[in-house]
């Protein structure tokens, strides 16, 4: 878990990966559960970026740019509260929650630009921007989800990942990056019916992976050209750490735009999760 540990190792409170699971109750009357309903039941993994405060690390944010970085745990808050509500509503899907909780602090133990991390996936990452930390911790989460949780049908990661997403999809829509068209459509519809709006971003890993080229590691953690679909690139970085043998779906939700308004959190993400999980009585 080099990404989670590397980002959080300078903080007073050590980094953590938190895992919770929910299994839907078995219907005592098996005849009332149709074969179609059984086939529709999925194992959905919700991964959340939980940077409780983001100084930028040694690539320190400016004094005005750092204000509001208490909101950088919005992705983990969204999936955590969505998970809690889903359990209370007895959704029919099996759900696993994976949170990466860190503080991107500065100090003698801080991660440095030029350091190389070995990730949970086994891939190595050359750090060229310590302020591109969210993708590092989520990369470990999706790697864990795709290798250690048995049969998984859907991996969703949610994060306040990039400032660029507000340019891509605006401040009222999260940007989504989906592995398949069916997954993209499913999350888009969940956004419409829940009110947590989303809009698709460019999905083109074959065109964008060169942005992370490194001469000393498998990849860098930040792009070479910030004008080349930067928000999509960040999502593809996370995707590149999913196990190659994983056959399920994946979707990345960058909710840095709608996560907060007027210096307050909006609660974005909870309704989207419930919509995705077809929570009974919700929408």
């Amino acid at each position: 878990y080099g990404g989670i540990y590397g980002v959080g190792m300078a903080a007073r409170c050590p980094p953590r990966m938190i895992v919770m699971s929910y299994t839907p109750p078995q219907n005592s009357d098996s005849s009332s559960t149709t074969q179609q309903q059984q086939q529709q039941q999925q194992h959905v993994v919700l991964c959340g970026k939980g940077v409780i405060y983001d100084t930028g690390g040694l690539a320190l944010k400016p004094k005005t740019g750092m204000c509001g970085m208490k909101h950088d745990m919005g992705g983990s808050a969204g999936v955590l509260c969505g998970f809690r509500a889903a359990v209370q509503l007895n959704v029919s899907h099996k759900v696993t929650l994976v949170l990466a909780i860190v503080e991107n602090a500065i100090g003698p133990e801080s991660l440095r630009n030029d350091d190389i991390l070995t990730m949970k996936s086994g891939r190595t990452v050359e750090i060229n921007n310590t302020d591109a930390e969210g993708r590092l911790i989520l990369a470990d989460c999706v790697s864990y989800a795709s290798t250690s949780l048995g049969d998984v049908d859907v991996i969703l990661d949610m994060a306040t990942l990039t400032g660029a997403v507000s340019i891509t999809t605006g401040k009222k829509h999260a940007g989504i990056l989906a592995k398949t068209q069916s997954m993209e459509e499913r999350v888009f519809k969940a956004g419409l019916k829940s009110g947590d709006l989303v809009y698709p971003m460019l999905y083109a890993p074959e065109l964008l992976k060169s942005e992370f080229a490194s001469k000393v590691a498998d990849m860098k953690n930040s792009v070479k050209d910030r004008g080349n679909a930067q928000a999509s690139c960040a999502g593809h970085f996370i995707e590149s750490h999913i196990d190659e043998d994983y056959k399920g779906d994946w979707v990345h939700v960058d909710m840095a735009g709608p996560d907060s308004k007027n210096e307050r959190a909006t609660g974005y993400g909870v309704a989207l999760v419930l919509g995705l999980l077809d929570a009974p009585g919700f929408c």
Side-chain angles (χ1 to χ4, degrees):
Y1 300 93
I4 294 174
Y5 181 74
V7 172
M9 63 184 177
R12 179 179 299 175
C13 297
R16 293 286 187 268
M17 190 176 80
I18 300 170
V19 181
M20 305 181 196
S21 61
Y22 160 80
T23 301
Q26 296 294 321
N27 194 323
S28 58
D29 182 7
S30 59
S31 63
S32 65
T33 302
T34 67
Q35 183 177 4
Q36 182 180 9
Q37 287 174 325
Q38 291 176 341
Q39 290 174 344
Q40 289 175 345
Q41 291 178 350
Q42 293 186 316
H43 183 187
V44 179
V45 181
L46 307 172
C47 301
K49 172 190 171 184
V51 179
I52 60 168
Y53 199 80
D54 182 16
T55 67
L58 292 181
L60 191 65
K61 293 179 182 292
K63 61 181 181 180
T64 55
M66 199 184 300
C67 294
M69 284 300 105
K70 61 187 177 184
H71 294 155
D72 214 17
M73 37 63 73
S76 64
V79 293
L80 171 61
C81 293
F83 174 82
R84 179 183 179 185
V87 172
Q88 292 175 325
L89 291 170
N90 290 324
V91 297
S92 61
H93 301 293
K94 179 179 179 180
V95 188
T96 302
L97 179 71
V98 182
L99 305 178
I101 308 298
V102 304
E103 179 182 359
N104 191 15
I106 55 174
E109 302 299 322
S110 290
L111 185 67
R112 300 161 296 195
N113 287 350
D114 290 340
D115 281 349
I116 296 177
L117 300 178
T118 300
M119 308 291 284
K120 169 70 170 67
S121 64
R123 306 192 75 183
T124 54
V125 178
E126 177 189 0
I127 303 303
N128 63 334
N129 182 3
T130 62
D131 195 23
E133 83 295 331
R135 64 199 65 181
L136 294 170
I137 65 175
L138 279 176
D140 279 351
C141 288
V142 300
S143 175
Y144 170 81
S146 63
T147 59
S148 304
L149 294 175
D151 292 332
V152 174
D153 299 293
V154 176
I155 297 173
L156 176 147
D157 71 75
M158 185 179 292
T160 51
L161 202 68
T162 66
V165 75
S166 295
I167 300 171
T168 306
T169 59
K171 293 185 178 180
K172 297 186 183 300
H173 292 69
I176 57 170
L177 194 70
K179 179 180 174 182
T180 63
Q181 184 175 348
S182 60
M183 192 70 228
E184 180 182 283
E185 292 174 350
R186 178 179 172 184
V187 180
F188 182 78
K189 291 177 181 177
L192 287 177
K193 69 180 181 179
S194 70
D196 278 353
L197 301 175
V198 304
Y199 200 79
M201 300 190 294
L202 171 69
Y203 183 90
E206 71 282 4
L207 300 179
L208 299 175
K209 64 180 180 181
S210 61
E211 289 292 337
F212 297 104
S214 168
K215 295 186 182 299
V216 294
D218 291 321
M219 64 188 72
K220 294 182 178 180
N221 76 311
S222 190
V223 295
K224 177 174 58 177
D225 181 358
R226 296 176 71 86
N228 187 19
Q230 187 183 162
S232 292
C233 288
H236 285 313
F237 178 94
I238 297 168
E239 182 188 22
S240 69
H241 293 269
I242 295 175
D243 190 77
E244 293 180 354
D245 293 331
Y246 172 69
K247 304 302 182 186
D249 257 319
W250 166 80
V251 62
H252 163 66
V253 182
D254 190 341
M255 34 83 88
D259 170 69
S260 59
K261 183 179 181 180
N262 296 328
E263 301 182 15
R264 301 283 300 207
T266 62
Y268 184 96
V270 181
L272 182 65
V273 167
L274 293 177
L276 179 70
L277 294 175
D278 302 312
F282 173 68
C283 57

